[in-house]
Amino acid sequence: MKRQKKATWMSAILLTIILAITGCGNSSGGIVEGKVNVITTFYPIYEFAKEIGGEDANVISLLPTGVEPHDWTPKSQDILNTSKAQLFLYNGAGLEGWVPGFLKGLNKDSEVKAVEVSQGIQLINAEGDDGHNHGGAVEDPGHEEDNHAHDDHAHDDHQHETGDHAHEDEHDHEHEGHDHAHEEEHAGDDHSHEAEADHAAEEDTGADTSGDGHNHSHHTDPHTWVSPKSALIMAENIKNSLIEVDPANKEGYEQRFEALQQKLIKLDQDFETELSGLPKKDIVVSHQAFGYLARDYGLTQHAIMGLSPDAEPRAQDIVKLANIVRDNQIRYVFFEELVSDKIAKMLASEAGVDTLVLNPVEGLTKEQAERGENYFTLMEKNLQNLKKALQ
């Protein structure tokens, strides 16, 4: 009798563990009936959508904790969940090269609305191999670039924009991109062509070029969220999308958006105030993820690798960057926590300087998630490290 009770008790514990593991397979759970289900492609969008959605929305992140987004691709379960959702939020600007095929794979009766949350941001064009088709080989007709940033993948972002796109006017450029009656006609093109005229030019940031004589193809820099100014536009796009699919809860979405907006405005002001008076403006980073941050706050980015952290630098790039570090009296080489710091540390050793973290906030490590870190805590740490490096 005791053995039978013990066996039953053990079975219950085992079942609980299995259910817990199953529930934790996705960092933010599964589809919830009776709620607005929002699928997001990676961490910053997930965090903003969760803050704005609050109790009215069930927000799911496709990207697991601790995974770098550039090379991640969705699984069949992600397609099934998205087919049942009401809203699919992705960054666009070339980050998720898998999105067109993903949307074509959704169930034909799916009513999910797909929205590219980077709409309204004046995008940056960068030179150099992005490593794996995330930055520009999948063209984004909704963000047409006329001018080009002269950015060798081992060096800097020149970013171009015309000043005629105030972000207050850009929040209605959402992309359904998956109307299943039209997906066959458009061969997976999930971007609205009507947005082309709204993204015609970018602003020169004054970043240095390497001039190494190599021919480099141009790619859109997708790392929009790293600048609080761009994050403000993304957050408003998310709010507008939630209201569109769930107008009954408009008041709650607007209230929570306003709270998030105030935090982003303060973060933007902190970056403006604290970086503007620093004597140095050059930063050396592990991969070309800080172009929007550099453009918006008057910095010059020198990148070891291209738009992808997997793009390999050439030996001459390391030598040139070591010379840049010495010539500009740069004291730190920045590295990231979700990718290997080996090359950044090699450059720092070559140039005789130290290393610091500059986080592109593409995702959280497991340790950061356990500590309750978020977009704002990571960006505040970025600001402190930038101040230390640029003194």
Side-chain angles (χ1 to χ4, degrees):
M1 188 71 176
K2 287 183 178 179
R3 283 186 179 178
Q4 188 175 6
K5 285 184 178 180
K6 185 176 181 180
T8 303
W9 180 71
M10 291 298 292
S11 297
I13 291 176
L14 182 61
L15 180 60
T16 302
I17 292 171
I18 291 171
L19 289 172
I21 292 172
T22 303
C24 294
N26 187 307
S27 61
S28 50
I31 296 295
V32 175
E33 295 296 330
K35 271 200 170 188
V36 172
N37 290 279
V38 181
I39 307 294
T40 64
T41 55
F42 77 124
Y43 176 71
I45 300 175
Y46 169 73
E47 181 177 333
F48 296 160
K50 199 162 180 61
E51 285 210 34
I52 298 167
E55 61 187 14
D56 297 320
N58 175 49
V59 183
I60 298 169
S61 176
L62 294 181
L63 191 71
T65 300
V67 175
E68 203 277 333
H70 291 281
D71 288 326
W72 180 86
T73 53
K75 311 295 187 292
S76 57
Q77 185 61 47
D78 299 322
I79 295 175
L80 291 174
N81 281 343
T82 304
S83 295
K84 298 174 185 177
Q86 286 71 50
L87 194 57
F88 173 67
L89 301 176
Y90 65 104
N91 187 74
L95 180 69
E96 308 99 333
W98 46 266
V99 162
F102 181 83
L103 293 176
K104 287 187 71 176
L106 298 181
N107 294 341
K108 292 301 180 183
D109 60 350
S110 174
E111 297 181 356
V112 66
K113 174 181 174 61
V115 176
E116 182 182 24
V117 301
S118 65
Q119 281 299 308
I121 296 170
Q122 294 154 356
L123 296 180
I124 293 168
N125 239 10
E127 281 187 1
D129 185 4
D130 68 351
H132 55 58
N133 191 34
H134 97 267
V138 177
E139 286 296 326
D140 182 350
H143 294 300
E144 184 67 29
E145 291 85 26
D146 287 347
N147 299 313
H148 298 292
H150 300 291
D151 194 349
D152 182 84
H153 72 258
H155 292 77
D156 331 285
D157 292 35
H158 282 80
Q159 305 139 5
H160 306 269
E161 68 184 355
T162 55
D164 57 350
H165 300 295
H167 75 254
E168 293 85 0
D169 299 327
E170 300 286 345
H171 305 309
D172 59 341
H173 298 289
E174 300 169 356
H175 298 279
E176 297 189 7
H178 68 286
D179 183 344
H180 299 295
H182 297 287
E183 279 188 7
E184 298 291 328
E185 300 171 24
H186 294 293
D189 178 7
D190 59 295
H191 301 292
S192 169
H193 292 277
E194 295 174 1
E196 286 183 15
D198 295 324
H199 307 284
E202 296 81 30
E203 177 182 355
D204 188 349
T205 61
D208 186 26
T209 60
S210 66
D212 65 352
H214 287 58
N215 291 322
H216 299 291
S217 57
H218 292 280
H219 301 277
T220 301
D221 183 346
H223 304 90
T224 52
W225 62 92
V226 185
S227 168
K229 292 183 187 298
S230 296
L232 276 161
I233 298 172
M234 295 169 69
E236 185 153 3
N237 287 339
I238 291 169
K239 180 261 295 183
N240 291 340
S241 302
L242 283 164
I243 291 172
E244 185 170 347
V245 299
D246 185 24
N249 290 305
K250 175 181 179 180
E251 184 177 351
Y253 295 137
E254 288 182 335
Q255 288 178 352
R256 289 186 291 268
F257 164 72
E258 287 173 7
L260 175 61
Q261 183 183 47
Q262 290 307 308
K263 291 197 293 184
L264 286 168
I265 288 172
K266 182 182 184 306
L267 186 65
D268 171 42
Q269 291 173 343
D270 289 346
F271 269 80
E272 288 259 13
T273 302
E274 299 192 38
L275 295 181
S276 62
L278 295 176
K280 297 181 180 179
K281 302 297 179 184
D282 292 272
I283 59 173
V284 176
V285 298
S286 57
H287 97 278
Q288 207 175 66
F290 302 93
Y292 295 91
L293 189 76
R295 176 186 71 187
D296 292 341
Y297 303 102
L299 306 178
T300 299
Q301 172 184 233
H302 305 270
I304 301 172
M305 291 170 280
L307 293 169
S308 161
D310 296 329
E312 290 294 327
R314 299 165 303 210
Q316 61 263 40
D317 295 330
I318 299 295
V319 172
K320 287 181 180 180
L321 278 172
N323 290 333
I324 287 173
V325 169
R326 296 188 193 99
D327 293 345
N328 291 277
Q329 298 181 326
I330 294 171
R331 297 187 298 141
Y332 294 95
V333 172
F334 288 110
F335 69 95
E336 304 166 24
E337 292 165 299
L338 283 180
V339 296
S340 172
D341 60 0
K342 181 179 178 181
I343 296 178
K345 288 188 173 180
M346 179 177 70
L347 172 61
S349 177
E350 172 73 19
V353 298
D354 293 324
T355 57
L356 275 176
V357 171
L358 194 62
N359 198 319
V361 201
E362 294 173 339
L364 299 179
T365 66
K366 291 180 180 179
E367 293 75 19
Q368 287 167 341
E370 289 169 0
R371 292 196 302 267
E373 299 270 16
N374 57 42
Y375 177 87
F376 292 95
T377 62
L378 295 180
M379 287 297 292
E380 178 60 34
K381 289 178 180 177
N382 280 347
L383 178 56
Q384 297 310 313
N385 283 349
L386 283 168
K387 288 166 61 180
K388 182 177 180 178
L390 298 174
Q391 291 287 352

